[in-house]
Amino acid sequence: MTVASSPGSSGHNLDSPHLASLRSNGNKTSYFSNSYLLGLTLTAGIGGFLFGYDTGVISGALLYIRDDFEVVNRSSFLQETIVSMALVGAIIGASGGGWINDAYGRKKSILLADVVFAVGSLVMCAAPDPYILILGRFFVGLGVGIASVTAPVYIAESSPSEIRGGLVSMNVLMITFGQFLSYLVNLGFTQVPGTWRWMLGVACLPAILQFFLVLIMPESPRWLYLKDEKTKAINVLEKIYDPDRLQEELESLSAAADDQHNSSRSIGYLDIFKIKEIRIAFFTGASLQAFQQFTGINTVMYYSPTIVQMAGFSSNQTALLLSLFIAAMNAAGTIVGIYTIDQFGRRILVLTSLAGVIVSLCILSLSFILQASPTSICGIHTLLSSHCGAQLGSWLAVLGLILYIAFFSPGMGPVPWAVNSEIYPEAYRGKCGGMSGTVNWISNLIVAQTFLSVVDFVGTSATFLILAGIAVVAFAFVAFYLPETKGMSFEQVEQLWKERAWGNDVHHQSLLEQQRC
């Protein structure tokens, strides 16, 4: 196979009729037409599974940790710390993961994440007190943080542009499947001695599985090509694209490699804020990640059994069973997102998602008003008896949780990760993706660490209204600020941000030319 020359010498450009025809005819790739690509996606997606399993399992394990350790049962702060210490680790893992990605590659980053996660799982399983348990949670979080910024980038860099959003969303599907399986595991171990130790300890098994699968998995072809390992990159790309489409991909990669090699210095984190178009792209991606958390998703996933118990279902097993159904809805909704993100686009999917989230959070708020004052709503007396009002409030809370997940999972679940995997130029992708992932985990930490305390301070109903208000702000942000990137190549997305930053001035300097100035 002959390596393609740069676009300048070949006469092709990103918007050429030749390229347009290739992307509109039989050379298009579908989700299941290439088993090799699907295998790479699912293998990398095990990192998402670890993320999801840890998110879900702690919600059930916490019920039994409280039973074993009286000091935990007496302290909302200690319960929040057990949950959120994994997020502290994830913040550090995500912030360092971007640099590790760029310096050592996506493959080695995933291997490192697996080792750290497995060690953390075993430490939690053997923890003699809450404080060793918290240490194990920290190590698990490190692994999850590295994996969370690596898997989407690896999948995006291996994917044809027309199905990139859906394949990156498969990583989110693995997250939701991990959450669902964690609730099954929680239910399975409810009658087993050492309940929560088994729940947390078995998490090492998928990490070990992924470690050995990744050993035989190739490095990201784009990373290989831009590190001058072109032969290895082409060997991978030949298994993904047919010859005509491969030629176009290589032309784009050649242009990206030329830009990178012409750079007079390495790129640092501060450069993200010095260059206007990168700064705008990062602000957009990081804001989406923050809104994903501040609209309450991991409040629901971490504390769904606790919320169900707050709503009046006191049994641990009943709370876990209802939470299992909620997790199943999450996975089903993510599948809908996979099949719609590349058909309808990122914007319409996330706007629809946020509209439903706002309504469902208001329903949750109403349900807890009924719980607190079952015979009156907002001071207006009703004909409900106290018992019937409380029962209605309980089932309304379950309905609110189900609707919340049904609307959140197709849009606000996968879209922030898909957008962040595709909106940055190659030279910035690792660092920007890592920083944006760090914003996600910091936001996650704030929500997880404060949820129970905010509930204690202002009440459950008011807490959900606060989340609904944030969702309204998120809706406005997406409506006015998020561009559509459906079906665009990485190079076209880069041009989009240049035009947003500088207008349509075709004589404007390239990113790397600006760096040399």
Side-chain angles (χ1 to χ4, degrees), residues 132-164:
I132 299 299
L133 174 61
I134 289 170
L135 178 64
R137 293 284 296 159
F138 175 76
F139 281 114
V140 162
L142 280 176
V144 166
I146 296 170
S148 70
V149 299
T150 305
V153 169
Y154 179 89
I155 295 169
E157 291 183 342
S158 303
S159 303
S161 58
E162 65 269 18
I163 59 170
R164 185 175 59 231

Side-chain angles (χ1 to χ4, degrees), residues 174 180 189 203 207 213 235 257 323 343 352 387:
M174 294 292 281
F180 175 75
F189 285 119
L213 289 175
N235 288 338
S323 299
Q343 294 183 36
T352 303
H387 173 73

Side-chain angles (χ1 to χ4, degrees), residues 194-217:
T195 303
W196 62 268
R197 297 184 187 277
W198 286 102
M199 292 175 177
L200 301 177
V202 298
C204 70
L205 298 179
I208 293 170
L209 172 64
Q210 186 184 41
F211 182 89
F212 287 105
L213 289 175
V214 170
L215 288 176
I216 59 175
M217 187 173 77

Side-chain angles (χ1 to χ4, degrees), residues 165-166 168-177 179 297 327-341 349 405-415:
V168 173
S169 297
M170 283 192 183
N171 182 62
V172 181
L173 176 62
M174 294 292 281
I175 295 174
T176 60
F177 177 65
Q179 290 168 338
I297 180 57
M329 287 289 298
N330 196 16
T334 304
I335 294 173
V336 173
I338 289 172
Y339 281 99
T340 55
I341 191 170
L349 194 59
I405 290 298
F407 280 104
F408 187 98
S409 54
M412 281 302 288
V415 169

Side-chain angles (χ1 to χ4, degrees), residues 48-93:
F49 176 88
L50 299 177
F51 176 0
Y53 183 88
D54 180 71
T55 300
V57 77
I58 194 60
S59 65
L62 187 61
L63 302 177
Y64 296 93
I65 292 169
R66 291 190 315 216
D67 291 341
D68 275 9
F69 299 117
E70 181 60 28
V71 64
V72 176
N73 191 46
R74 293 197 307 266
S75 172
S76 292
F77 176 79
L78 200 52
Q79 292 175 45
E80 290 170 335
T81 302
I82 290 171
V83 171
S84 61
M85 186 52 65
L87 306 180
V88 175
I91 290 168
I92 298 171

